[in-house]
Amino acid sequence: MTSLFAETILVTPVGRILLHTSETQLYGVELFISNDFLDNETVISTFAQQVINKLKSYFIDPQSECKLKLAERGTVFQRRVWQYLLTIPPGETRTYSELAQALDTSARAVGNACRANPFAIVVPCHRVVSKAGLGGYYGKTDGSEIDLKQWLLEHERHKSS
């Protein structure tokens, strides 16, 4: 028996997000999607609706819990980093070097794992910053990606105070 996969567009305060789901798992969250995708929220499973509801709740109140069943993706090391990211509370940040020390690895390796994160926002790689500033987001160090990282951090700080 094969699982039914769906691509669903969610319109959010930070733009349209493309959600990749099966009947039981989240496979990916894509930001900065092209205009080739129609604006719709066609949902074909109760799990996809659960993902939409959790993300909508996050944009209203980032303190709301966003635990979802995630598909097993990435390397063992990447999954270890992503699991650690889930322990960073909304409104707080950690540096790449703090994560590296906690995971007994390098800051660069942590950064690479964050860049490979297929579950943007749900697995909060935006909460990882450099010692000297924001660091990168989505593999970029300036432009709309950093603007989005800044927005997410401000959203979480504003709502958590």
Side-chain angles (χ1 to χ4, degrees), residues 2-96:
T2 60
S3 289
L4 191 56
F5 287 90
E7 290 183 334
T8 305
I9 300 289
L10 174 62
V11 179
T12 74
V14 298
R16 298 171 333 137
I17 295 175
L18 179 60
L19 306 172
H20 300 275
T21 60
S22 72
E23 295 170 337
T24 59
Q25 296 179 325
L26 179 62
Y27 277 80
V29 177
E30 286 185 58
L31 308 175
F32 307 105
I33 61 169
S34 77
N35 290 329
D36 295 341
F37 291 93
L38 299 175
D39 282 335
N40 64 34
E41 289 185 14
T42 304
V43 178
I44 61 169
S45 72
T46 55
F47 181 76
Q49 185 62 56
Q50 180 184 1
V51 173
I52 287 171
N53 292 343
K54 296 267 187 189
L55 284 168
K56 283 182 175 180
S57 292
Y58 167 82
F59 284 110
I60 294 167
D61 177 10
Q63 299 298 315
S64 62
E65 202 168 279
C66 198
K67 290 185 179 175
L68 293 163
K69 177 133 171 87
L70 305 176
E72 191 168 301
R73 297 189 58 191
T75 66
V76 171
F77 174 76
Q78 288 170 337
R79 290 193 306 267
R80 200 168 124 229
V81 172
W82 302 338
Q83 193 62 44
Y84 190 92
L85 296 176
L86 292 170
T87 69
I88 305 171
E92 294 184 20
T93 59
R94 302 291 183 275
T95 65
Y96 294 100

Side-chain angles (χ1 to χ4, degrees), residues 80-153:
R80 200 168 124 229
V81 172
W82 302 338
Q83 193 62 44
Y84 190 92
L85 296 176
L86 292 170
T87 69
I88 305 171
E92 294 184 20
T93 59
R94 302 291 183 275
T95 65
Y96 294 100
S97 57
E98 287 173 326
L99 264 73
Q101 184 175 10
L103 297 171
D104 194 29
T105 190
S106 72
R108 182 178 301 267
V110 168
N112 287 336
C114 287
R115 184 179 312 118
N117 174 14
F119 308 108
I121 301 173
V122 174
V123 175
C125 55
H126 62 275
R127 296 182 190 148
V128 183
V129 298
S130 76
K131 290 182 199 176
L134 285 178
Y137 193 58
Y138 248 64
K140 307 285 179 153
T141 56
D142 59 12
S144 56
E145 292 81 2
I146 294 301
D147 292 344
L148 175 56
K149 182 174 185 170
Q150 182 67 48
W151 188 95
L152 291 168
L153 292 172

